[in-house]
Amino acid sequence: MAEAIKREFHGYMRNGERVYLGPCDMTDTEVQKFLDSIAAIYSDPKEPGVFNVRSAVFDARAFAGVQILPPSKS
């Protein structure tokens, strides 16, 4: 089984601003499944529009897009 990697979730506002949503540990397969589900939300208005990052719940339709990145190096 693939190892989960620490990643950062970001949302893009319609004005182009990037907003940090939180961290999560996910495998590459889990990331792909998550991004596929986000794509389904944007393409089908009947899909529930929410997703979770840890305990926080977000409405995907509030964002122009969602991005998952490796953690930033400080």
Side-chain angles (χ1 to χ4, degrees):
M1 183 169 187
E3 185 177 332
I5 300 169
K6 194 166 289 299
R7 303 174 192 261
E8 294 180 349
F9 283 73
H10 297 266
Y12 283 89
M13 305 304 288
R14 303 212 184 276
N15 66 2
E17 180 183 352
R18 185 173 81 169
V19 179
Y20 176 72
L21 303 178
C24 195
D25 294 337
M26 297 176 85
T27 66
D28 289 341
T29 301
E30 290 170 330
V31 168
Q32 188 59 54
K33 287 180 182 178
F34 174 81
L35 293 175
D36 289 346
S37 68
I38 293 295
I41 289 169
Y42 287 120
S43 64
D44 184 354
K46 293 179 184 175
E47 284 288 323
V50 297
F51 65 94
N52 296 43
V53 177
R54 293 208 172 186
S55 61
V57 178
F58 298 96
D59 182 352
R61 292 185 181 94
F63 300 101
V66 176
Q67 186 176 39
I68 303 172
L69 302 171
S72 59
K73 296 182 181 180
S74 304

